Amino acid sequence: MMDYFYLAFAIVCEVVGTTAMQASNGFTRIGPSTVVVVGYGLAFYFLSLVLKTIPMGVAYAIWAGLGIVLIGISGVIFFKQSLDIPAMLGMGLIVAGVAVINIFSKAVGH
């Protein structure tokens, strides 16, 4: 069960790092730039722990799918970016894909 905690933490760290990257203004602002480096460092460290127990393809599908959705939400909240209907529909399909993997895939190792 810790593997999914680590995966969730890795995803959150990646989302924080990517959000900070937008705020770093091309790595010209030291605070957000530091958050990018720490966020990605932690994200990849915890993803490496996840890969000990969850198959790489499954872990990466969950990581990428949920990361895309969370980054989209982050852009709306922190940077006043907007998502149109096709973007939201596509993100909904990504979430559905992640759900299918977690509910039905034997590779997940329930």
Side-chain angles (χ1 to χ4, degrees):
M1 196 61 174
M2 284 302 288
D3 48 358
Y4 282 98
F5 172 77
Y6 290 157
L7 182 56
F9 191 70
I11 292 167
V12 168
C13 288
E14 187 267 334
V15 169
V16 168
T18 301
T19 302
M21 190 180 304
Q22 174 80 35
S24 76
N25 195 29
F27 289 98
T28 60
R29 298 178 58 217
I30 190 71
S33 297
T34 303
V35 172
V36 172
V37 172
V38 171
Y40 274 98
L42 287 171
F44 286 115
Y45 171 72
F46 281 96
L47 182 61
S48 75
L49 298 179
V50 169
L51 295 179
K52 292 179 180 182
T53 57
I54 298 176
M56 181 175 52
V58 172
Y60 198 76
I62 295 168
W63 161 292
L66 295 180
I68 288 167
V69 172
L70 292 173
I71 286 298
I73 293 168
S74 173
V76 169
I77 292 171
F78 296 110
F79 301 107
K80 307 301 182 228
Q81 298 170 348
S82 62
L83 297 172
D84 59 10
I85 297 298
M88 290 187 283
L89 180 61
M91 288 181 187
L93 291 170
I94 291 168
V95 170
V98 169
V100 166
I101 290 169
N102 280 295
I103 294 168
F104 299 108
S105 176
K106 292 181 183 1
V108 173
H110 293 284

